Amino acid sequence: MRQIRAEIGAVSKADGSAIFEMGNTKVIAAVYGPREVQNRSQQMSDQALVRCEYSMANFSTGDRMRKPKGDRRSTEISLVIRQTMEACILTHLMPRSQIDIYVQVLQADGGTRSACINAATLALADAGIPMRDLVTSCSAGYLNSTPLLDLNYVEDSAGGPDVTVGILPKLDKVTLLQMDSKLPVDILENVMQLATEGCKAIANYIREILLENTKQLEYRRGS
């Protein structure tokens, strides 16, 4: 797996925020809420409304492409992140409220989807949003007859199949599984196993970051 690095509290105005890096992929997430629902027609009496907006900074890729806001890929990834987060947030504890998750890719080098989910998880934890478990994500692929974990852009664009997995590690439940091409079942099992191990390693790292953050808070309070 590529080197991972994370930092909590990157956006001071947000209720929770985090920066998450996987290799050269760098993502920032900010969470606002739970707060009053802005559009009353979307309010739900039995659970919180989760909204997610994903975007890529214009300088995030090497080719400096100007991406139109609201393009199909961004809409699809926003939906993927929202559905993955809804699977772990205890929305029934916060009825008639909304939680907004904003994720932006600052630097893209493969695995942006996974990095966004990991950043969002950390930002939600930082905001104190109740969750069933930390949802973590990692990708794995199959290149030159070898299963590979956490593909970078060069490996990803080599044309081999790639699988993105999101799991709730303590509950051992899969909340996200995306594949972009076909794989024989026996190979899929190997690649899935690899991605799941990656997710669990990320979960351990995120727990360490949260624990360290808690210790710092306690130290500042002088307890």
Side-chain angles (χ1 to χ4, degrees), residues 107-202:
Q107 201 167 288
D109 183 30
T112 49
R113 209 164 294 210
S114 292
C116 287
I117 288 167
N118 297 329
T121 294
L122 252 182
L124 285 166
D126 185 38
I129 305 279
M131 294 188 277
R132 285 182 182 83
D133 193 358
L134 296 168
V135 58
T136 55
S137 177
C138 195
S139 67
Y142 194 72
L143 205 59
N144 299 336
S145 326
T146 313
L148 290 179
L149 182 63
D150 189 20
L151 307 178
N152 66 22
Y153 179 73
V154 174
E155 293 161 340
D156 194 17
S157 48
D162 115 65
V163 178
T164 301
V165 177
I167 66 163
L168 300 172
K170 275 187 180 166
L171 302 173
D172 226 8
K173 283 189 174 176
V174 173
T175 61
L176 168 68
L177 177 60
Q178 283 195 314
M179 281 179 65
D180 61 358
S181 57
K182 290 179 181 176
L183 260 178
V185 173
D186 53 333
I187 295 171
L188 173 65
E189 282 174 4
N190 288 341
V191 173
M192 272 280 294
Q193 182 67 35
L194 196 60
T196 305
E197 282 169 20
C199 290
K200 287 181 176 171
I202 290 166

Side-chain angles (χ1 to χ4, degrees), residues 12 14 20 28 50 54 61 71 83 85 116 119-120 153 164 168 172-173 188 205 217:
S12 58
F20 202 91
I28 188 165
V50 179
Y54 161 94
T61 54
D71 63 315
Q83 288 173 338
M85 292 302 145
C116 287
Y153 179 73
T164 301
L168 300 172
D172 226 8
K173 283 189 174 176
L188 173 65
Y205 175 71
L217 289 173

